Structure formats: C-alpha cells, structure tokens
C-alpha cells in the first residue's frame, strides 16, 4: 500500500507484505508501547481486521493476530488491558471513513490461512538480553538461558534452599505469564520432561518468580516472557532429562567471584541493619564462599 496512518499512540506504515507499527514515546503513552518501540507485522500473521467505536470521540482500527503467530500475544494470553493492545490504532472519530478504508485494504491482503492458528511465530519478539526485577528475584535472559537470582528479602526459604537457578532454552517447554496487574501475578518457566510442569505455588517454585506492587511490571516482564517463548519454540527439542538425573542449576556450578562478593556485601548490609542474626550471617556467608 505504501501509506502511513497516524493515531494517538502509534503510526502504522503499510508495506506490500507487512505493516510496520511505530509506537510513540511520551509520558502519557502506554509503557508497553514505549518498551516495544516498533514491530513489523506480516499480513500472514493477521486473522481479521475490524473498526469499532472508541471512547471519548475516537474510533479504533483493530487488527487481530492469528493464534500462535505473535509470541507477545501468546504469552499475554488475553490479559492485556484494552489500552495496552499493540494491535489497536486509536484515531479521532472524524477519521472513521479512513479507518474503514484501511480495514478493507488489509482484509484484501490477509493470508490464505488467516482463519487457522499459525504453526510458528510470524512476528518477532523483543531481542535479548532482557531482564527485570520481580519481588523475590532478578530474572535475566541472554538468548540462550534464563537465570533467576533470588533476593534475600523477598525469596521464600524453599527458593533459597534450591539456590539461584539457570535454565537453558532447550530445557524449557514454554512460559506461563500472569499479569502483575492482577492478584498473585508471576512468570513461571515450564520445564521439558517435568512430571507436573507448572504446578505448585509460584513463591515456592524455583522455576518461577513472583510479582508484586512495582515488581515485574507489564512493560518489563511481558516482553521478557515473549522473548523466552520465541526462543523455546525455535529451539530444537532436547530429550527429556533422564530419570534420577538432576537438571542443571546455577547453584551446582562455580559462581562468578564478583557476584559472590556483591552478595556478601548485601548480607553485610542486612546484618548491620539488624535484619540478620550473627548466626544467619555467618551461615549464609559460608554457603556463598563455598560456591567459589
């Protein structure tokens, strides 16, 4: 089409085989849009297009992705608020005729399998490295593995007992994301070959981090979940871990001395503030030193 359509929070640039969505930055713009920056959506990734009335004198051009085509929307699993849906372009109501025109144009270029679920991801997830702070730990993803580093003040004793965690992409079967904007939000990694993947309370599960007020925010944790999910889907499946053989964990390998030193300094601060007893400080310090 070669046209450009500007809305309140984004600009859609139409090409011959895709639409490039450029999200605008600003204090009043949705933070998820700012985090995404821009996304190229192939027409074959769309299932339908509709125009609906919006709020306060607006109209919405809404493109609906095929199930399984976009790792971001697959991870979100219908939990995004309407204003945070990256497939909605909000326009002034007087541009309804223009919105209908572009909706008709998009409908003519939908792929032949538009009504069918996609057998692979067609839209790119945000690129790693990515990281965010959850309530009980820091999650990081470098494109090859996901790491959870527990916070002393937030992680449960069960997680501390297991130690910091590391999961290669090949070990994973999927990702489960529960929005921090609902009660008890979390991100859980679903392990390949686990007897009961995705069960148990997330605060006790070393394969999960839990959210909370100000932790695991949508614009941080959802792109993270999408990137991991895309990597998992693209990876060649690895065989299940042999029965009785423990999965690899960061705590089973030697740690970076700088990381150990940082953790000991943090423990010292907690001890100095009276949040740890002498025995607790000595025990945990010895455990960290033993990992060198």
């Amino acid at each position: 089409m070669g046209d450009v359509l500007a809305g309140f929070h984004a600009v859609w640039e139409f090409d011959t085989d895709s639409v490039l969505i450029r999200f605008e930055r600003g204090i009043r713009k949705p933070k998820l849009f700012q985090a995404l920056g821009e996304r190229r959506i192939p027409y074959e990734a769309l299932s339908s297009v509709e125009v609906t009335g919006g709020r306060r004198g607006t109209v919405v051009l809404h493109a609906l992705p095929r199930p399984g085509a976009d790792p971001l929307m697959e991870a979100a699993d219908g939990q995004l608020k309407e204003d945070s849906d990256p497939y909605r372009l909000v326009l002034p109501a007087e541009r309804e005729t223009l919105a209908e025109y572009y909706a008709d144009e998009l409908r003519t270029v939908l792929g032949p399998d538009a009504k069918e679920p996609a057998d692979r991801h067609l839209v790119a997830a945000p690129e790693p490295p990515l990281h965010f702070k959850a309530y009980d730990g820091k999650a990081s993803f470098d494109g090859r593995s996901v790491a959870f580093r527990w916070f002393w003040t937030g992680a449960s004793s069960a997680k501390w007992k297991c130690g910091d965690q590391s999961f290669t992409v090949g070990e994973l079967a999927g990702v489960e994301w529960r929005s921090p904007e609902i009660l008890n939000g979390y991100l859980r990694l679903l392990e390949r070959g686990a007897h009961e993947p995705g069960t148990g309370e997330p605060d006790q599960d070393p394969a999960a981090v839990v959210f909370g007020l100000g932790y695991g925010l949508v614009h941080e944790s959802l792109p993270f979940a999408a990137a991991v999910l895309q990597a998992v889907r693209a990876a060649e499946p690895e065989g299940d871990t042999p029965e009785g053989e423990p999965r690899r964990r960061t705590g089973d390998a030697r740690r970076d001395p700088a990381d150990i030193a940082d953790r000991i300094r943090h423990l010292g601060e907690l001890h100095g503030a009276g949040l740890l007893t002498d025995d607790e400080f000595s025990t945990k310090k010895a455990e960290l030193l033993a990992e060198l």
Side-chain angles (χ1 to χ4, degrees):
M1 294 179 228
D3 296 339
V4 175
L5 184 60
F8 286 115
H9 300 311
V11 175
W12 288 18
E13 299 180 10
F14 300 95
D15 207 339
T16 54
D17 60 354
S18 61
V19 55
L20 177 64
I21 302 178
R22 298 184 184 276
F23 300 103
E24 296 184 358
R25 298 181 179 273
I27 297 176
R28 298 182 181 275
K29 311 300 182 184
K31 290 186 176 180
L32 177 60
F33 293 177
Q34 297 182 53
L36 294 175
E38 66 178 40
R39 308 190 79 210
R40 183 169 292 279
I41 314 297
Y43 297 138
E44 64 174 326
L46 300 178
S47 66
S48 62
V49 185
E50 59 187 30
V51 176
T52 60
R55 292 176 291 182
R56 293 191 292 272
T58 62
V59 65
V60 178
L61 176 60
H62 191 191
L64 303 174
R66 294 167 59 191
D70 185 347
L72 186 86
M73 303 306 285
E74 183 179 350
D77 194 24
Q79 298 173 78
L80 283 178
K81 293 182 177 178
E82 191 176 74
D83 291 345
S84 296
D85 184 342
Y87 285 82
R88 297 174 77 253
L89 182 66
V90 182
L91 303 158
E94 57 267 23
R95 306 188 75 183
E96 181 175 1
T97 301
L98 190 61
E100 292 284 4
Y101 167 78
Y102 281 105
D104 288 338
E105 290 291 297
L106 283 172
R107 293 184 189 112
T108 65
V109 294
L110 294 180
D113 299 321
K115 299 303 181 182
E116 301 296 327
D119 58 3
R120 59 187 174 86
H121 289 147
L122 300 169
V123 183
E127 294 186 3
L130 296 166
H131 59 84
F132 69 90
K133 285 186 177 180
Y135 173 74
D136 57 356
K138 179 180 179 180
S140 59
F141 178 52
D142 63 4
R144 299 178 300 276
S145 62
V146 181
F148 293 158
R149 172 182 165 181
W150 307 124
F151 294 153
W152 178 264
T153 53
S156 65
S157 58
K159 290 183 176 180
W160 272 106
K161 184 177 180 180
C162 291
D164 292 345
Q165 303 288 291
S166 180
F167 306 81
T168 63
V169 166
E171 291 180 282
L172 302 177
V175 179
E176 185 178 50
W177 181 79
R178 291 294 174 266
S179 174
E181 296 179 341
I182 61 177
L183 186 64
N184 300 324
Y186 61 85
L187 181 143
R188 190 199 308 265
L189 303 176
L190 305 179
E191 298 180 83
R192 190 182 303 278
H195 295 299
E196 295 181 277
T199 60
E201 293 298 326
D203 66 332
Q204 303 296 315
D205 185 354
V209 289
V210 298
F211 304 149
L213 186 62
Y215 293 95
L217 301 173
V218 170
H219 69 280
E220 297 174 342
S221 62
L222 181 56
F224 183 103
V228 175
L229 182 60
Q230 177 176 265
V232 170
R233 293 283 188 271
E236 289 292 332
E238 294 184 2
D240 291 344
T241 302
E243 188 173 352
E245 180 181 327
R247 290 182 171 82
R248 183 177 66 81
R249 295 289 180 262
T250 304
D252 298 332
R254 291 191 177 277
R255 293 272 296 279
D256 182 353
D259 180 56
I260 295 293
D262 182 57
R263 298 295 291 272
I264 291 176
R265 280 194 295 271
H266 180 57
L267 288 175
E269 294 172 358
L270 295 175
H271 180 244
L275 298 176
L276 295 178
T277 66
D278 292 343
D279 288 343
E280 289 173 330
F281 173 70
S282 298
T283 299
K284 192 59 187 177
K285 180 179 177 182
E287 290 176 1
L288 291 171
L289 290 173
E291 295 179 14
L292 291 174

